[in-house]
Amino acid sequence: MNPSPQPSPAKAAAPAAEPVVYGQSDRPPRGDYSRAAADYTCPQNYAAYTAADHDTYRRLYERQAALLPGLASDEFIAALPSLGVKDHIPRFEEINERLYRATRWEIVAVPGLIPEVPFFTLLANRKFPVTDWLRTPEEFDYIVEPDVFHDLFGHVPLLFNPVFADYVQRYGQGGLKAHALGACELLSRLYWYTIEFGLIRQSDGLRAYGAGILSSAGELQYAVRSEEPHRIPLALERTMRTRYKIDTYQQTYFVIDSFQQLFDMTAPDFAPVYERVKGLPELAADALLSNDERQRWATKPT
C-alpha cells in the first residue's frame, strides 16, 4: 500500500464516494469508498471473496514464495511464516493476533489507495492499511494498484521485524510533518525507494526488502540479478530528488546496509533537507550522476 500523492479531498463525517486519483495513472483506482469510515478504514469484506479469489491468492503466494531464496532479504524470509495460512486469503484479525504481540502493529482494511494525511496518520499510530480486494486472474502477472496480495505478502511480514516496524511508524510521523511543509512529494520518493522498492546488501549479496519487488515475480529477479538498472547507496537528498515510474520496472534502486541504518537515517528533522532539495533540479528515474557510477558497482549483485 502507498498513498495517493494527490491532495486529500475535503471530508465530512466520511470520505467521498468517489475514489481518490492515483499518481500518474489515467484510470481512477477501483474500490468501494462508500463503505469507508472517515479515516478510510473499513471492515474486511471477507464474505465477498470467491473460491476463485482464494485460489488466485494461493497461486500467487506459492509462486512468490518459491522465488524468494537468494533474492529476498533474510529478515523477510524469516518473517513470512508469520502471515499464517497460504492456501486462502487470511482474515486480518488472525494476523493481528500475532502481529500485535510481535511489534504492537495491526493491519486495517481499506477500499483502495487513500490520501496522504489518512495514510500517514494510520502509520503514525502503527496501523498499516491493507486493500481488501484481490486482482482478477487476468492481472495475475501485473497490477498497477496494490491489492490484498501485494499488501499482505509484500508489506506485512517485515512489520514483524521490530526495527523495520519502527521505521514505518517514523515514516508516518514524518509524513504528517511533510504535509504541513508542502513536501509530501519529496517524502513519497523515500517511501517508494525503500518500503516499496528497496534493496539491502547482505554478507552473501544483494537482496530485496521492498514490497513492490517482493510481490512481483518479474521484478524480484530483475532488481537483484539484472545488470540493467542502476543501484545506488541510499542517501536522503539523492533519493528525494529522483522521480519514479509506476508502470514499469524501476530504472534505479537504492541500497541500504541494514534496517538500523534506515531507521537512524530518518531520525533528524527533514525540514532542512526539504529546503535544500527544493533548490535542486529533479532527477529522472534513470539518471546516473558522476559519483553514482563509482558507487553503482559497489552495490552490484554478486
Side-chain angles (χ1 to χ4, degrees), residues 83-96:
L83 278 185
V85 296
K86 309 173 185 179
D87 60 349
H88 61 269
I89 301 169
R91 293 182 182 273
F92 292 179
E93 63 264 26
E94 294 177 359
I95 294 176
N96 281 337

Side-chain angles (χ1 to χ4, degrees), residues 229-249:
H230 306 318
R231 300 179 182 87
I232 303 168
L234 183 72
L236 288 178
E237 293 184 22
R238 175 68 170 87
T239 305
M240 289 183 182
R241 291 175 61 192
T242 306
R243 297 193 296 270
Y244 59 81
K245 295 181 177 293
I246 68 169
D247 55 358
T248 65
Y249 292 166

Side-chain angles (χ1 to χ4, degrees), residues 17 30-36 42 111-112 133:
R30 71 191 84 175
D32 181 7
Y33 288 77
S34 66
R35 64 191 181 93
C42 59
W133 52 261

Side-chain angles (χ1 to χ4, degrees), residues 143-205:
I143 186 170
V144 174
E145 299 166 53
D147 67 345
V148 67
F149 177 76
H150 166 84
D151 283 342
L152 285 183
F153 187 96
H155 283 289
V156 174
L158 283 181
L159 292 177
F160 284 86
N161 179 284
V163 178
F164 191 82
D166 286 347
Y167 166 68
V168 178
Q169 181 184 32
R170 176 169 283 175
Y171 181 89
Q173 294 166 338
L176 294 173
K177 296 177 183 177
H179 186 269
L181 296 171
C184 282
E185 183 177 2
L186 301 180
L187 191 65
S188 72
R189 294 170 181 169
L190 181 64
Y191 186 97
W192 188 264
Y193 283 119
T194 59
I195 295 172
E196 287 288 356
F197 289 94
L199 296 177
I200 187 169
R201 185 164 44 191
Q202 297 183 170
S203 60
D204 54 352

